[in-house]
Amino acid sequence: MMDDPFEIDEFAASPEMRLQDAPAPDYLANLNAEQREAVEALDGPLLVLAGAGTGKTRVLTTRLAHLLETKGQTERLHPQQILAVTFTNRAAKEMQERVAHALGRPVEGWWLGTFHSLAARLLRRHAELVGLQSNFTILDSDDQVRLLKQIMDAEQIDQKKWPAKQLMGIIQRWKDKGLSPERVNESVEFANGGAKYLYKIYQERLAVLNAADFGDLLLHCLTLFQKHPEILRRYQETFRYVLVDEYQDTNVAQYLWLRALAMVHRNICCVGDDDQAIYSWRGAEVGNILRFESDFPGAKVVRLEQNYRSTPHILAAASKLITFNDGRLGKELWTELDTGEKVFVKGVWDGEAEARLVGEDIEALQSCGIGASQMAILVRAGFQTREFEERLITLGIPYRVVGGPRFYERQEIRDALAYIRMVAQPDDSLAFERIVNVPKRGVGKATLQTLHQYSRDQAVSLPAAALDLIGTEELKPKMRQAIGGLLGDFKRWREMLETTSHVAVLETVLDESGYTDMWRTSKEIDAPGRLENLKELVSAIGEFENLTSFLEHVSLVMENEQNADQEKVTIMTLHAAKGLEFDYVFLPGWEEGVFPHQRAMDESGVKGLEEERRLAYVGITRARKRATVSYAANRRIYNQWQSALPSRFVDELPDEHVERISDTGLGNHRGNVSPGAWGADDWMKMPSWADNKPAESYNPYGGTGERRFASAGWQDRVRKNVIDVKPDGETSYTTSSKSSKYKVGDAVRHRKFGPGTVKAVDGNKLEIHFEGVGTKKVVDSFILPG
DNA sequence: TGTGAGACAATTTTT
DNA sequence: TTGTCTCACA
């Protein structure tokens, strides 16, 4: 049953009834003055600037409960008239549970979720008004790029020069800004003609395929609002109260969407922290916070500054760090908690030692009776999790990786989903392409090329093209039979859907298509596991009303299944850790180039650096009792050793709140070092970073380095030579001291291609002519001065 | 059409 | 080291 906001049902139970039944809720108890103010200002625009650990979630929860309770009774506010937007599905789920808990009864029917899931819900009802059918497919980023690649093939665009992935990034960023192809064209700001053209074709193609990508969900809504003010009007009237969490991370499209919907009742409450804005790479605009007061004149602003989470040392260290950023709104966090431990900063020899150190600390904590679920390892990037996983496996410590490879990203699940998509939505070209030859049906490149050609020329989807072509001599008889058979199957399965449950249909599809047989007869070692996963998928689909809602769930909501019953150490990225808290937090990999990440600085200069710093701030403030920062002097990457400098953030932490263990050498760590760990003396053997030696010539186990950097201050000296952040955003960084940025005409050397001359420079990518090898495109970190 | 060998380039964050 | 891509050959 679709819930329609225009036709709000009467209450199942009358307000009077509930008043008697429910005990008087005490959710308002134990709030401090500011929190209470934020909770009770129900009407009118409200901006809550909530620092880390100030009870933001609590305020949101209580506010929602308060709304439902008071307005539900006095003004017959129905849950369906509340629009509550969170940043992640996890947060939405948590909110649902907490509000239910506070009220002592479950709340249903309200519009609670992420921007994308809410926009999708809204869009499905009006899809035909933006040129889609209501069963449109939502493409994941993989499919997006594949589709763009096809378009570029057809347009004969050199994908070496313009990688589809990169162009898709540009297009998505336009969508983040709320710019449709037409709007991009009008806009003077963007000069990239090629990308504009591709964007237009891409959107046309999406319409033919009856598909929308992530950005479209919001963008189509905006178009809908613009072209059909009467529809917008009805939603505006419906949503009497709007709540937004993590407001600092909304992008322009989301902001426009919100503003459009909140403009009539103006009961909008946004909660955010400018110091925790870490998604500008995804188009988020911190400026939305500043704009709030001008959009909603007379808006009330409440600041939450009392931190309930962290010890004073942790709080002070994080606060000091974030002051290195300019242009903050400025908050002063304070706490009443007792002084706890200082923030630990540990320098180690290499990544392995770092993992060992963290492992030891975790073991030590466990032996004190502290549960593993109170500990987290927060890394900058996904690939860093592996070292820690390996170490924890060796130690036998249970852990879980949040945001790792997802269930539905597995090959067999994606294949099965492609079958479901084809059944649910006959025009899904990408799904068709994926499974047309899985299991093998003899349909190869040549055949597909013919189909693509036809589908482009006629502006129809791939399956539609196939349907046309099997009736012609265009394809070989064998192909016609194979594809015709498959299309016939799909037709049959679709008809079957009308009479049979979709669970049974899915089983039939997987069976009759030969897909399960393919794995059953497969000799691959993980084939049985894949069959298991398929079974799981079949059982999961049973919980949904129809295939479309299942597919939407998979692409927008579905999260990794985690059995939370066991005590486990959490490993995740800093981004994923936003909004969470742990007693003991490990923050490894604080090295220049890793964190702050090189790419962030290359692409956005000082702005990028500040965002990285906010990320560091988020990391430290996740900790309640202890934060341990660590950095390694060397990292082995693909069997090659690379030396690294400690992150500048390490230096920015205030000494009075930090305990640095690297200064006295590693041997002093806790007074005991496991056999094989590097002692103080080994620290002296550090390779000299100032030398112009290629990184791979180091052998950290050979001990051939020179004694050089034993004294304090060397970091600064080396860094001055090496890193050069220019104010306008141009950054250059390299581990060899003499080179700054390469320019055209420079003589350089590549470890494989030998000497060469720079022919062209594009960011950190160089086009170099190598003698006897030819012209190559390489990244400048692989280049040494000639 | 399917495959296997060899060339090549190289590391973010996610709804 | 590893994933992706191309090209030659079966």
Side-chain angles (χ1 to χ4, degrees):
Chain A
M1 186 194 76
M2 268 284 200
D3 45 350
D4 184 3
F6 305 148
E7 289 174 30
I8 289 161
D9 312 324
E10 281 304 302
F11 290 94
S14 73
E16 294 76 16
M17 279 288 289
R18 279 190 299 111
L19 200 62
Q20 286 166 2
D21 292 349
D26 61 346
Y27 50 77
L28 286 175
N30 298 325
L31 292 173
N32 69 30
E34 292 78 30
Q35 289 174 334
R36 210 179 163 103
E37 197 183 352
V39 165
E40 292 188 327
L42 291 181
D43 294 301
L46 171 69
L47 179 62
V48 182
L49 293 173
T54 52
K56 185 183 66 176
T57 313
R58 179 124 194 264
V59 166
L60 280 172
T61 310
T62 318
R63 189 183 164 84
L64 281 167
H66 196 47
L67 261 176
L68 288 161
E69 200 61 21
T70 59
K71 300 282 176 182
Q73 287 166 17
T74 57
E75 296 167 32
R76 316 212 91 200
L77 176 76
H78 190 278
Q80 281 181 22
Q81 294 174 293
I82 295 178
L83 178 69
V85 196
T86 57
F87 195 71
T88 59
N89 290 301
R90 189 197 65 213
K93 210 170 136 193
E94 193 184 337
M95 193 65 65
Q96 179 89 39
E97 284 163 9
R98 282 179 184 240
V99 172
H101 182 78
L103 290 176
R105 63 186 154 90
V107 185
E108 265 158 32
W110 53 352
W111 289 64
L112 169 67
T114 61
F115 277 103
H116 292 272
S117 62
L118 293 169
R121 185 169 159 191
L122 199 152
L123 193 60
R124 288 231 186 255
R125 307 166 159 203
H126 312 283
E128 63 294 344
L129 295 176
V130 292
L132 293 172
Q133 298 154 36
S134 65
N135 66 342
F136 63 83
T137 316
I138 299 169
L139 297 188
D140 61 22
S141 46
D142 231 60
D143 284 340
Q144 291 169 23
V145 174
R146 263 170 63 210
L147 182 57
L148 190 63
K149 269 188 184 157
Q150 287 170 12
I151 294 170
M152 290 171 75
D153 279 343
E155 300 285 325
Q156 299 189 333
I157 295 167
D158 182 5
Q159 296 189 32
K160 288 232 170 74
K161 207 167 165 190
W162 298 100
K165 223 172 163 174
Q166 204 177 316
L167 280 166
M168 184 47 75
I170 296 174
I171 292 174
Q172 289 301 323
R173 220 151 304 142
W174 282 335
K175 293 194 177 188
D176 288 339
K177 297 196 179 196
L179 297 168
S180 58
E182 303 82 57
R183 293 282 313 282
V184 168
N185 245 343
E186 293 160 13
S187 156
V188 196
E189 195 183 337
F190 303 104
N192 197 334
K196 275 185 202 173
Y197 176 68
L198 281 174
Y199 182 19
K200 187 165 160 275
I201 310 237
Y202 171 70
Q203 285 310 113
E204 286 167 3
R205 195 65 193 156
L206 281 176
V208 171
L209 306 185
N210 189 25
D213 65 22
F214 281 115
D216 281 341
L217 297 174
L218 281 150
L219 201 56
H220 283 323
C221 274
L222 294 178
T223 315
L224 178 76
F225 292 163
Q226 202 175 12
K227 292 194 177 152
H228 300 274
E230 74 287 354
I231 289 179
L232 171 62
R233 185 77 198 174
R234 294 178 75 177
Y235 280 105
Q236 285 176 327
E237 280 161 9
T238 299
F239 295 129
R240 282 173 51 196
Y241 291 92
V242 178
L243 275 100
V244 191
D245 191 12
E246 309 284 10
Y247 185 61
Q248 75 281 357
D249 284 321
T250 53
N251 62 35
V252 175
Q254 292 165 335
Y255 161 80
L256 293 171
W257 190 84
L258 271 181
R259 196 178 63 166
L261 289 174
M263 255 324 170
V264 164
H265 289 294
R266 305 169 73 83
N267 294 324
I268 181 170
C269 166
C270 294
V271 182
D273 179 1
D274 57 312
D275 289 332
Q276 293 188 63
I278 53 176
Y279 280 95
S280 73
W281 52 273
R282 217 174 73 189
E285 295 256 346
V286 197
N288 288 342
I289 289 192
L290 305 169
R291 224 175 305 178
F292 188 85
E293 289 184 76
S294 60
D295 275 331
F296 298 98
K300 187 171 190 150
V301 179
V302 175
R303 282 165 193 268
L304 301 181
E305 297 184 314
Q306 182 176 2
N307 177 295
Y308 295 94
R309 182 186 294 156
S310 314
T311 64
H313 281 310
I314 292 171
L315 195 59
S319 299
K320 174 71 185 173
L321 178 72
I322 200 67
T323 58
F324 284 88
N325 276 2
D326 289 333
R328 300 171 54 228
L329 289 176
K331 281 182 305 297
E332 291 247 348
L333 293 186
W334 57 277
T335 178
E336 281 177 348
L337 297 182
D338 286 338
T339 311
E341 289 174 278
K342 290 186 175 182
V343 174
F344 287 101
V345 175
K346 299 178 179 180
V348 293
W349 172 255
D350 61 8
E352 214 182 304
E354 189 177 45
R356 205 158 43 219
L357 199 80
V358 171
E360 280 169 17
D361 277 5
I362 290 175
E363 277 189 320
L365 289 169
Q366 278 190 321
S367 66
C368 299
I370 292 158
S373 60
Q374 291 310 317
M375 308 173 208
I377 303 171
L378 308 182
V379 296
R380 174 61 181 82
F383 71 88
Q384 292 173 276
T385 60
R386 225 173 86 187
E387 274 175 319
F388 296 98
E389 287 188 66
E390 281 168 10
R391 191 65 206 158
L392 294 181
I393 288 171
T394 332
L395 295 174
I397 297 169
Y399 68 89
R400 63 186 180 131
V401 180
V402 177
R406 294 159 205 226
F407 180 69
Y408 55 86
E409 275 170 9
R410 294 162 205 263
Q411 186 192 340
E412 68 277 15
I413 299 302
R414 294 193 68 124
D415 288 341
L417 284 173
Y419 274 101
I420 302 174
R421 277 164 59 178
M422 269 297 287
V423 172
Q425 213 277 92
D427 278 321
D428 196 328
S429 296
L430 294 150
F432 177 78
E433 196 185 7
R434 186 175 177 99
I435 48 86
V436 69
N437 205 26
V438 180
K440 301 234 178 321
R441 297 188 177 91
V443 180
K445 237 193 316 195
T447 312
L448 259 159
Q449 207 163 16
T450 317
L451 293 182
H452 271 303
Q453 179 84 46
Y454 183 84
S455 107
R456 275 196 310 272
D457 293 349
Q458 306 292 317
V460 293
S461 68
L462 216 51
L467 196 63
D468 280 359
L469 287 181
I470 48 172
T472 68
E473 292 293 316
E474 212 65 50
L475 299 170
K476 290 187 193 134
K478 219 173 133 191
M479 293 301 111
R480 274 185 285 180
Q481 208 188 348
I483 298 176
L486 184 66
L487 289 174
D489 284 344
F490 274 116
K491 188 159 176 281
R492 207 179 64 244
W493 292 327
R494 252 169 245 140
E495 284 161 2
M496 189 177 160
L497 204 56
E498 287 160 21
T499 54
T500 326
S501 83
H502 49 282
V503 181
V505 172
L506 175 58
E507 279 173 336
T508 312
V509 169
L510 293 179
D511 237 34
E512 291 185 2
S513 65
Y515 190 73
T516 26
D517 275 344
M518 183 184 104
W519 288 114
R520 213 169 280 142
T521 55
S522 161
K523 287 184 207 78
E524 273 183 44
I525 20 166
D526 43 1
R530 293 181 194 273
L531 285 167
E532 276 304 304
N533 288 336
L534 287 174
K535 269 190 207 151
E536 215 171 301
L537 183 77
V538 173
S539 68
I541 205 171
E543 293 167 29
F544 292 86
E545 284 171 36
N546 53 47
L547 295 180
T548 305
S549 65
F550 171 72
L551 288 170
E552 183 172 313
H553 177 83
V554 166
S555 43
L556 292 178
V557 182
M558 193 152 141
E559 289 174 80
N560 257 354
E561 283 283 319
Q562 300 281 355
N563 39 339
D565 44 338
Q566 206 192 348
E567 283 276 331
K568 285 176 177 169
V569 175
T570 306
I571 306 177
M572 62 174 135
T573 63
L574 286 160
H575 283 90
K578 187 162 88 153
L580 300 179
E581 53 179 36
F582 302 90
D583 282 347
Y584 300 89
V585 170
F586 296 92
L587 300 160
W590 283 40
E591 293 131 40
E592 284 293 308
V594 177
F595 188 40
H597 198 277
Q598 195 53 49
R599 284 265 280 274
M601 293 188 293
D602 287 349
E603 281 163 18
S604 331
V606 173
K607 268 177 80 181
L609 177 62
E610 294 204 337
E611 178 147 325
E612 295 285 297
R613 192 177 279 116
R614 287 194 293 270
L615 203 50
Y617 174 80
V618 168
I620 297 176
T621 53
R622 295 313 93 195
R624 282 191 287 246
K625 293 183 180 158
R626 186 199 292 168
T628 308
V629 171
S630 59
Y631 56 89
N634 295 280
R635 292 236 175 240
R636 185 168 52 181
I637 299 157
Y638 308 145
N639 252 2
Q640 290 192 0
W641 285 94
Q642 283 193 348
S643 56
L645 297 172
S647 168
R648 69 192 76 194
F649 301 151
V650 167
D651 286 351
E652 290 169 4
L653 295 172
D655 282 329
E656 59 272 32
H657 299 291
V658 167
E659 190 157 335
R660 293 177 202 267
I661 297 184
S662 57
D663 287 346
T664 49
L666 292 171
N668 290 345
H669 168 58
R670 294 278 169 84
N672 60 27
V673 172
S674 56
W678 292 86
D681 194 44
D682 298 306
W683 181 252
M684 314 289 266
K685 292 187 207 156
M686 291 279 274
S688 67
W689 290 306
D691 277 0
N692 200 12
K693 270 196 263 174
E696 64 264 34
S697 69
Y698 299 145
N699 176 1
Y701 297 106
T704 52
E706 302 126 19
R707 300 171 147 264
R708 214 183 244 201
F709 294 109
S711 65
W714 55 267
Q715 294 175 2
D716 295 325
R717 248 182 296 136
V718 177
R719 186 170 303 152
K720 278 219 175 68
N721 285 335
V722 170
I723 299 155
D724 178 22
V725 180
K726 300 187 186 77
D728 61 357
E730 287 283 302
T731 313
S732 71
Y733 169 79
T734 158
T735 43
S736 56
S737 63
K738 277 177 198 130
S739 59
S740 56
K741 205 167 180 174
Y742 299 99
K743 46 185 199 301
V744 175
D746 279 358
V748 293
R749 207 161 57 79
H750 188 274
R751 70 191 160 96
K752 230 156 142 190
F753 306 134
T757 317
V758 178
K759 291 287 171 208
V761 181
D762 172 24
N764 64 339
K765 293 182 190 67
L766 306 174
E767 208 172 307
I768 297 170
H769 183 77
F770 296 101
E771 288 146 42
V773 184
T775 306
K776 303 267 171 202
K777 281 199 115 176
V778 289
V779 174
D780 71 352
S781 58
F782 278 72
I783 292 295
L784 303 163

